[in-house]
């Protein structure tokens, strides 16, 4: 939550944090653009489709409810539904009624979807490794820590 009454105690630090945010955003856009191109060129796959398959690949064998999938991906149910529809049409996922909740659908990855994801995930790891090749292990650990601090609102008192 943001505090509308927040007073900036150190404007130089606030500007440095703004530069950090802008550089994080540019870095994310650069990485996402590269991943989108690699997935499109190598697998005729979009990043949203890859993300859904990756979530289902990691899920329990029973799959996930559509609502769990959208929550996991931090997108709306409507966005997930369209992607799942296309993946089901391509035979990469299957959707069935949840026996415990007849109002809900479970989505799971098919054997074909799992095989494709195994290949794409291996390539994805190599793509990320190449994009981040200048980042050392200690720098990666520190960056992860900073990202977690930002996501969870943890910060030291200034």
């Amino acid at each position: 939550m943001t505090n509308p009454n927040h007073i900036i105690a150190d404007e130089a630090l606030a500007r440095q944090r703004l530069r950090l945010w802008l550089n994080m955003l540019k870095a994310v856009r650069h990485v996402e653009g590269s991943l989108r191109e690699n997935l499109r060129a190598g697998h005729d796959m979009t990043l949203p489709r890859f993300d859904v398959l990756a979530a289902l690949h990691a899920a329990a064998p029973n799959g996930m409810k559509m609502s769990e999938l959208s929550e996991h991906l931090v997108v709306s149910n409507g966005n997930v539904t369209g992607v799942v529809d296309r993946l089901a049409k391509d035979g990469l996922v299957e959707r069935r009624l949840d026996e415990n909740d007849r109002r809900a659908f479970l989505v799971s990855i098919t054997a074909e979807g799992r095989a494709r994801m195994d290949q794409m995930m291996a390539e994805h790891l190599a793509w990320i490794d190449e994009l981040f090749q200048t980042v050392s292990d200690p720098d990666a650990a520190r960056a992860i820590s900073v990202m977690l601090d930002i996501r969870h609102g943890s910060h030291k008192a200034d």
Side-chain angles (χ1 to χ4, degrees):
M1 284 285 163
T2 58
N3 179 355
N5 299 320
H6 179 78
I7 297 170
I8 298 174
D10 184 339
E11 189 164 336
L13 178 57
R15 290 190 184 286
Q16 182 74 339
R17 288 172 174 157
L18 176 61
R19 282 191 292 277
L20 169 62
W21 161 241
L22 294 173
N23 279 287
M24 284 170 44
L25 188 59
K26 288 175 186 175
V28 166
R29 287 179 176 163
H30 170 72
V31 171
E32 280 188 348
S34 180
L35 292 176
R36 285 178 197 281
E37 178 56 28
N38 288 338
L39 287 167
R40 186 198 61 72
H43 298 279
D44 193 28
M45 179 69 56
T46 65
L47 190 54
R49 287 168 50 109
F50 176 85
D51 289 344
V52 167
L53 286 173
L56 294 173
H57 188 274
N62 293 335
M64 299 173 82
K65 288 183 180 181
M66 292 287 286
S67 58
E68 293 170 334
L69 188 54
S70 64
E71 184 178 310
H72 176 79
L73 298 171
V74 193
V75 296
S76 72
N77 280 335
N79 287 348
V80 170
T81 299
V83 174
V84 167
D85 286 347
R86 289 185 293 281
L87 289 168
K89 182 180 171 213
D90 292 344
L92 302 176
V93 302
E94 61 185 9
R95 188 173 21 200
R96 65 188 183 288
L97 282 174
D98 182 349
E99 293 187 15
N100 299 319
D101 181 357
R102 295 285 182 191
R103 298 167 296 160
F105 284 98
L106 286 173
V107 182
S108 56
I109 194 166
T110 63
E112 180 184 351
R114 186 165 298 281
R116 290 215 29 212
M117 274 309 292
D118 288 342
Q119 177 63 37
M120 285 189 289
M121 288 173 67
E123 290 180 34
H124 180 266
L125 179 62
W127 297 332
I128 294 296
D129 187 53
E130 183 177 350
L131 286 166
F132 286 70
Q133 65 186 333
T134 60
V135 179
S136 69
D137 185 39
D139 286 346
R142 179 65 186 134
I144 291 167
S145 177
V146 169
M147 297 304 116
L148 289 171
D149 287 349
I150 292 168
R151 284 181 49 206
H152 299 294
S154 304
H155 57 281
K156 307 187 271 190
D158 295 335

